[in-house]
Amino acid sequence: SGAKSPGNLEGNLASSELLRMLSDSLYLENIQEYVQDEDKIVTYKWLSRTFDVPVNAAKKMLYAYVNQQRSRDGSESPITVTYVVSGVTTGRGDRQEYQVCIVEEDSLEGTRKLW
């Protein structure tokens, strides 16, 4: 699908701000195509490499996409967010262990408390 035209934008937006808004919209449309049309699992690392953007920008894109999808009425397929949480925890006794957990969004806070 093609990019949507912004129409007649009014106001005193700086050129860089306008370009940022347009590119953000295009990124969100592309993410939607990857997720819904191509049934891809999209990670921030993959987005960073695919769109050639910094990792933190890719994280913000995914956050914006998830919020956009959840705010739409009648969304047919809910978005599921899964996190990989890793770090050093205190194991048996004083021994430290490195753990990696795959966690769904509703369990994230409880899992983070383990570290």
Side-chain angles (χ1 to χ4, degrees):
S1 73
K4 295 179 182 171
S5 170
N8 184 16
L9 294 176
E10 298 178 9
N12 295 327
L13 290 176
S15 297
S16 61
E17 179 67 13
L18 177 59
L19 288 173
R20 186 192 62 75
M21 286 173 48
L22 292 174
S23 65
D24 287 351
S25 175
L26 292 174
Y27 285 135
L28 293 178
E29 287 181 23
N30 283 325
I31 293 170
Q32 182 168 346
E33 287 180 17
Y34 289 127
V35 171
Q36 294 180 354
D37 297 342
E38 297 179 22
D39 203 26
K40 288 189 182 285
I41 295 173
V42 177
T43 67
Y44 72 87
K45 287 182 181 182
W46 183 83
L47 275 181
S48 175
R49 287 190 306 266
T50 301
F51 293 156
D52 194 26
V53 296
V55 168
N56 284 336
K59 289 178 184 180
K60 290 176 183 178
M61 284 183 225
L62 278 178
Y63 181 80
Y65 173 74
V66 168
N67 285 332
Q68 177 189 64
Q69 294 301 305
R70 289 183 175 166
S71 69
R72 290 186 174 176
D73 292 337
S75 179
E76 293 180 19
S77 60
I79 298 295
T80 302
V81 179
T82 305
Y83 295 89
V84 175
V85 180
S86 64
V88 177
T89 63
T90 303
R92 297 181 192 139
D94 290 333
R95 194 174 104 197
Q96 293 184 335
E97 297 176 341
Y98 186 79
Q99 292 187 359
V100 178
C101 299
I102 298 175
V103 183
E104 290 189 13
E105 186 175 25
D106 57 352
S107 302
L108 181 61
E109 285 306 312
T111 302
R112 289 176 72 182
K113 291 178 184 178
L114 297 174
W115 280 271

